[in-house]
Amino acid sequence: MMSYSCKTTLIYISFLLCFVFTACNRNKKVDVSNIPIDVKIERFDQDFDLLRTKPLTPQIAALQNKYGVFYQDFIERIIKIGSTADTNYYKNLHDVFAGKAYTDLKHDVDAAYPNTDKQDAELTDAFRRIKYYYPQKKLPKVYAYISGFQAQTSIGDGYFAIGLDLFLGADSRFYPALVESFPHYISRRFTPDNITPRVMEGIAREDMFPESDQNNSLLSKMIYNGKILYFMDKTMPDVADSIKIGYTAQQIKWCENFKANIWGYFLEENLLYETDFQKIQKYLNEAPFTPGLGDKNDSAPKLAVWTGWQIVKQYMDKHPNVTLPQLMADRDAQKILNESKYRPKNASE
């Protein structure tokens, strides 16, 4: 009897050590320093400003040659001042440069971003990690622009572009006047530290892993969003969870403190398989808090997104042989939930 007990204990200890070793391996940052990618954000905003002082026709030709389709997209879709098919929009260009609004905004962008060295380094590391997991992936060129608060990011054929005027810092003098378009719970994230996470999220959602039209249930949307955030975990291992998901530190803490209650609420309200978007959108969309949960409106928003993230992380912890590409290609949300064995407890329990 003693022999059996000892053997069982040894087996259990061996299994535990194996599990701990596997978990450590999964969470260990991979070395990507030798992957030959170096990102340099190209300052379209500065090149565009040259139109203010140089003859338009040759300078526009130079911009079109350097930036390709992005120039057309910028004129027609971002600042929306006309079609590049003719020269009628030239007058609108003159009006843009003549306005005090442009001068003031350019001043603040130049002050906040005399260079993008920090973002270049962050994106270089993140893009190398994409290449580590997806060696065949063709990565976009990265441009910076001033949009007049029209678009924080833009993705197109071969490029990903960043509206620096919507990353000026939470205390920018411009944002209080834009509160109807960008309430404070949104504009507080308009900081330089958010550039790389928003680029990576945009590449994931819009380019590499667009959401399927068949993702109608709350569960499928939870797992899809959880996978996007897990992809961000693997490609930006040093970025805080709060920045990835867009929470405050207090909202992250609230979710941890009440994760069992959150999960219990979804189950009790029979929400996992609900497909009526009007009923489930408040658990997915940006908001200051989630109505109906928490006291004094202190709950975190988009709780289905956060919960999906926890499910995916737990699933991957329990399946150490599943690679990131295999996870991202797996559209069986029910399987991921079942095999995650997600049974959360509140942080205080």
Side-chain angles (χ1 to χ4, degrees):
M1 193 70 172
M2 180 66 72
S3 175
Y4 176 79
S5 174
C6 181
K7 183 178 180 182
T8 303
T9 302
L10 287 173
I11 290 173
Y12 174 76
I13 291 172
S14 296
F15 173 78
L16 183 62
L17 289 173
C18 181
F19 181 80
V20 170
F21 179 75
T22 299
C24 288
N25 268 351
R26 183 178 288 287
N27 294 323
K28 183 180 179 182
K29 286 199 302 182
V30 296
D31 182 6
V32 296
S33 59
N34 291 326
I35 295 178
I37 290 176
D38 290 288
V39 178
K40 176 64 179 173
I41 298 173
E42 297 186 46
R43 295 297 294 270
F44 176 83
D45 59 310
Q46 295 175 350
D47 291 342
F48 179 73
D49 188 64
L50 296 176
L51 295 174
R52 186 171 52 87
T53 56
K54 291 189 174 184
L56 280 181
T57 300
Q59 186 58 29
I60 286 174
L63 287 177
Q64 290 173 322
N65 182 60
K66 181 174 180 179
Y67 293 99
V69 71
F70 174 69
Y71 178 79
Q72 178 180 346
D73 289 348
F74 179 76
I75 295 295
E76 297 179 1
R77 294 169 45 199
I78 297 176
I79 61 173
K80 301 176 183 177
I81 60 170
S83 169
T84 58
D86 55 54
T87 59
N88 291 336
Y89 75 96
Y90 283 17
K91 179 184 180 302
N92 294 332
L93 275 176
H94 284 296
D95 292 341
V96 167
F97 294 128
K100 185 175 185 297
Y102 173 80
T103 304
D104 289 349
L105 187 53
K106 183 181 183 304
H107 172 274
D108 283 27
V109 168
D110 288 346
Y113 297 98
N115 61 66
T116 57
D117 293 349
K118 183 175 184 292
Q119 289 74 33
D120 292 345
E122 292 172 350
L123 286 168
T124 292
D125 186 76
F127 276 30
R128 286 176 177 179
R129 293 180 190 282
I130 292 180
K131 205 72 171 175
Y132 175 85
Y133 292 106
Y134 294 88
Q136 303 307 314
K137 173 63 182 170
K138 185 176 180 181
L139 294 167
K141 293 183 178 179
V142 184
Y143 304 143
Y145 60 85
I146 297 174
S147 74
F149 311 112
Q150 296 302 306
Q152 189 179 46
T153 59
S154 179
I155 189 168
D157 186 11
Y159 72 79
F160 195 101
I162 304 159
L164 294 179
D165 49 329
L166 287 170
F167 290 102
L168 288 175
D171 58 350
S172 168
R173 59 174 168 155
F174 297 110
Y175 299 154
L178 304 171
V179 67
E180 289 191 10
S181 300
F182 305 111
H184 178 67
Y185 66 86
I186 297 291
S187 65
R188 67 171 181 79
R189 307 199 300 261
F190 290 177
T191 63
D193 285 346
N194 271 278
I195 286 181
T196 297
R198 300 293 70 83
V199 171
M200 296 302 288
E201 183 177 12
I203 289 173
R205 290 185 183 278
E206 304 299 328
D207 178 24
M208 296 182 70
F209 319 108
E211 187 172 14
S212 169
D213 292 337
Q214 297 177 351
N215 279 14
N216 296 319
S217 71
L218 183 63
L219 175 61
S220 64
K221 291 182 179 296
M222 290 169 75
I223 300 303
Y224 169 76
N225 283 284
K227 291 195 299 182
I228 295 294
L229 283 161
Y230 188 82
F231 173 84
M232 294 170 71
D233 287 338
K234 304 309 287 184
T235 52
M236 297 181 297
D238 297 322
V239 172
D241 285 354
S242 57
I243 294 180
K244 288 175 201 157
I245 196 171
Y247 280 178
T248 63
Q250 290 78 12
Q251 288 170 337
I252 286 281
K253 185 177 180 181
W254 187 92
C255 287
E256 289 291 342
N257 287 342
F258 298 106
K259 55 189 173 185
N261 300 70
I262 297 167
W263 184 238
Y265 179 85
F266 286 135
L267 297 180
E268 290 165 12
E269 297 295 319
N270 296 315
L271 288 168
L272 291 189
Y273 305 105
E274 179 60 66
T275 58
D276 184 345
F277 191 70
Q278 293 301 314
K279 293 182 179 179
I280 63 176
Q281 62 178 335
K282 67 180 180 179
Y283 308 112
L284 297 160
N285 291 348
E286 297 287 358
F289 57 89
T290 298
L293 284 164
D295 299 323
K296 300 178 182 178
N297 298 334
D298 62 349
S299 60
K302 52 186 182 184
L303 291 176
V305 175
W306 184 85
T307 302
W309 191 13
Q310 311 316 303
I311 293 170
V312 170
K313 286 196 285 190
Q314 189 159 311
Y315 169 80
M316 292 299 281
D317 284 343
K318 290 184 178 297
H319 296 79
N321 294 324
V322 175
T323 65
L324 180 63
Q326 288 171 340
L327 169 71
M328 301 308 293
D330 190 343
R331 296 190 176 185
D332 192 338
Q334 186 66 57
K335 183 196 81 173
I336 291 173
L337 172 61
N338 291 347
E339 295 187 7
S340 74
K341 302 189 185 304
Y342 188 65
R343 303 288 188 274
K345 293 183 179 181
N346 293 334
S348 59
E349 294 180 0

